[in-house]
Amino acid sequence: MAISGRFVALLAVAIVPTVLLSTGWAGLAWAGVVVVAAALDVLLAADLARVRVERRMPRLARRDTTADGTLVLANDGSRRLRGVVRDMWEPSAGHAPRRLRMDVPSGERRTARMRFAPFRRGRRTTAGVAVRAFGPLGLAARQRVLHAPAELVVTPPFRSRRHLPSRLARLRELDGETTLQLRGHGTEFDSLRDYVRGDDVRSIDWRATARRQDLVVRTWRPERDRRVIVIVDAGRAGAGRVDDEPRLDTFIESALLLGALAAAAGDRVDLAVLDDAVRGRVHGATRTDVVQRFGEALALAEPGLAATDWSAVPELVDSVTTSRAFVVLVSSLDSVGASADLLAVLPRLARRHAVVVTSVTDPTVERMASGAVEPTDDGRGRRGGRAPFLPDRAERDVYRRAAAERTLLDADGVADVARRAGVEVVRAAPEQVPPLVADAYIRAKATGRL
């Protein structure tokens, strides 16, 4: 039984006369009246065992946006429901309002609108709905948690969507919708046109030239229906934070932008989320559903502490296609020790496929290497004097810059090893990685490597 503020005030009014009139029965009688009134109020409250909860809400919602849903309360009992309703969602679901006052007559139902503004990616859940039913006097109430489980999958925000229009315009140029024509190993024949000065002589069609008695050249367009395979690293490399965000968020943004771009170009796009095992897969996403399917698979990705099993990647790619494909390993090349397993599989992949590997740089480390980061402390002890075992400020600056330079040199060395294996390396700050991966895909289409 829940007690209202009105009942507390009334109970205080009952106790004071009881104390003052403790020698007689008047005070006890007054307190008894209040308690009986509260008990009757509880008895006259709605029977919560006869109350049902229904939900109407989306299954998916994008982070940092809003989604609407409804909560339906049905009163199948014989008494009117006057109560307060609280939907027990996780705080990160961002649901509002937190509490609702609802008045549901017997045999009727009422609907309340809910709004969700989730601020964390992943699966958000609720255990049920807590309903507090007051009696007609409002002195006391019954309370019960009604079983109504639900979940809301919060997909990534896809902030890199802003780069999509400019990349689609470049794809339309490659596709022949503008005057740009090209020729390459992985292109399809498009049409014939008259030779103009500057055309590649290798594109001359000699049979058509003999028929027309004038030089004629072939034009080409990028092939469609190619395979694009995106492998997102959900291992320990994604757990590191850069600019107050996990690297995995950058990996996810890169996968979403590339998936949307490749699907718009008519290619078939596949996704795999990998750590020590395959945690999620999307096969053959199309232009209409690629963002939704990728977002749903990547919404549940969380960086783990296990090392990524890169040795499984060649077999994973072979399970998708045996033909040449554009394979993007969305990870980060840091040091030789941390990236040794990844470097070991790159030559095997590069022999059959066009491979791109990402590497996320930390702007703070770059500023530290240039001496632009100020020290966060002055090296003094608690008593105000400098501890004898601590270096002074100038020495600490030197150590800091040396450590940052060593980190950058290690990353440069790993990137060079990857390039010598025949792999293109996209290395940039987090916000620059997604558009640069899209540019690498466009270059592969333009040069016929895909």
Side-chain angles (χ1 to χ4, degrees):
M1 181 181 72
I3 299 175
S4 68
R6 187 184 304 177
F7 175 70
V8 173
L10 193 58
L11 188 60
V13 173
I15 291 175
V16 171
T18 303
V19 175
L20 295 176
L21 303 173
S22 58
T23 57
W25 294 94
L28 294 175
W30 176 247
V33 169
V34 174
V35 173
V36 170
L40 289 175
D41 209 29
V42 172
L43 291 176
L44 294 177
D47 184 6
L48 295 180
R50 304 290 303 278
V51 176
R52 293 181 293 107
V53 176
E54 299 176 5
R55 299 182 188 274
R56 299 167 189 164
M57 56 178 297
R59 189 174 61 88
L60 301 175
R62 185 173 297 165
R63 178 188 156 187
D64 298 335
T65 61
T66 59
D68 293 328
T70 55
L71 186 70
V72 181
L73 212 64
N75 183 10
D76 297 334
S78 59
R79 295 186 292 274
R80 190 183 195 93
L81 172 62
R82 307 173 182 85
V84 177
V85 178
R86 179 176 178 270
D87 204 350
M88 301 169 63
W89 283 95
E90 298 178 36
S92 56
H95 68 289
R98 296 293 182 91
R99 287 179 173 81
L100 296 166
R101 286 195 171 274
M102 302 187 72
D103 191 344
V104 187
S106 173
E108 297 187 15
R109 59 176 57 198
R110 292 291 184 269
T111 300
R113 183 176 295 277
M114 304 288 292
R115 173 153 291 187
F116 296 88
F119 53 86
R120 282 190 61 190
R121 174 178 51 82
R123 183 182 284 112
R124 310 273 76 85
T125 60
T126 176
V129 177
V131 181
R132 181 176 293 177
F134 288 91
L137 299 178
L139 298 178
R142 300 178 179 184
Q143 181 168 307
R144 184 176 184 179
V145 176
L146 304 181
H147 185 67
E151 72 173 26
L152 180 69
V153 177
V154 182
T155 59
F158 195 12
R159 300 188 186 101
S160 58
R161 183 190 293 270
R162 66 183 184 275
H163 300 291
L164 191 57
S166 60
R167 272 66 186 179
L168 288 175
R170 292 171 60 183
L171 274 180
R172 284 192 292 269
E173 291 180 349
L174 295 180
D175 202 27
E177 293 184 19
T178 64
T179 57
L180 177 66
Q181 301 290 343
L182 54 97
R183 185 179 191 278
H185 173 72
T187 53
E188 297 175 337
F189 171 73
D190 182 55
S191 61
L192 296 172
R193 63 171 175 81
D194 291 338
Y195 176 86
V196 295
R197 192 171 185 177
D199 282 339
D200 190 344
V201 295
R202 292 175 298 179
S203 63
I204 297 176
D205 189 313
W206 294 107
R207 291 186 179 181
T209 297
R211 289 194 300 268
R212 295 180 53 179
Q213 300 297 313
D214 199 2
L215 284 177
V216 177
V217 296
R218 299 186 184 96
T219 61
W220 309 83
R221 63 186 178 195
E223 291 188 29
R224 292 179 176 269
D225 201 29
R226 309 295 288 178
R227 282 286 187 183
V228 176
I229 303 172
V230 185
I231 299 176
V232 175
D233 182 4
R236 62 181 62 160
R241 300 185 71 86
V242 179
D243 285 347
D244 201 30
E245 275 194 350
R247 283 176 174 172
L248 182 60
D249 288 1
T250 301
F251 302 166
I252 289 174
E253 289 291 328
S254 303
L256 288 171
L257 180 60
L258 178 59
L261 182 65
D267 291 331
R268 289 177 290 176
V269 189
D270 295 84
L271 171 73
V273 181
L274 181 69
D275 50 19
D276 56 347
V278 178
R279 301 299 178 184
R281 292 192 69 171
V282 175
H283 181 68
T286 63
R287 181 172 187 171
T288 57
D289 64 359
V290 60
V291 174
Q292 177 180 340
R293 293 180 64 187
F294 272 33
E296 189 172 355
L298 294 169
L300 306 179
E302 294 293 339
L305 298 179
T308 304
D309 184 14
W310 293 110
S311 62
V313 170
E315 183 178 352
L316 182 62
V317 173
D318 290 341
S319 67
V320 175
T321 181
T322 57
S323 303
R324 183 176 178 82
F326 186 74
V327 180
V328 180
L329 306 178
V330 193
S331 182
S332 186
L333 298 173
D334 295 323
S335 62
V336 176
S339 306
D341 293 340
L342 174 56
L343 295 174
V345 302
L346 291 181
R348 178 179 171 186
L349 283 174
R351 281 196 295 267
R352 297 182 54 189
H353 308 285
V355 183
V356 173
V357 179
T358 65
S359 181
V360 180
T361 62
D362 191 342
T364 303
V365 175
E366 294 182 341
R367 292 194 299 270
M368 193 181 298
S370 63
V373 176
E374 292 295 329
T376 58
D377 61 274
D378 59 358
R380 295 181 179 274
R382 293 184 178 179
R383 296 183 179 179
R386 188 170 64 87
F389 56 90
L390 290 178
D392 59 23
R393 178 171 177 172
E395 291 175 341
R396 291 198 314 277
D397 289 346
V398 172
Y399 295 152
R400 185 181 289 109
R401 294 184 63 176
E405 288 283 358
R406 180 73 267 174
T407 301
L408 295 177
L409 287 174
D410 287 345
D412 289 339
V414 174
D416 289 340
V417 172
R419 292 188 184 98
R420 287 197 296 269
V423 172
E424 182 175 356
V425 178
V426 173
R427 185 165 175 237
E431 68 276 3
Q432 298 172 346
V433 170
L436 289 179
V437 170
D439 292 341
Y441 167 76
I442 295 174
R443 283 195 300 273
K445 300 282 281 188
T447 58
R449 292 188 296 118
L450 177 59

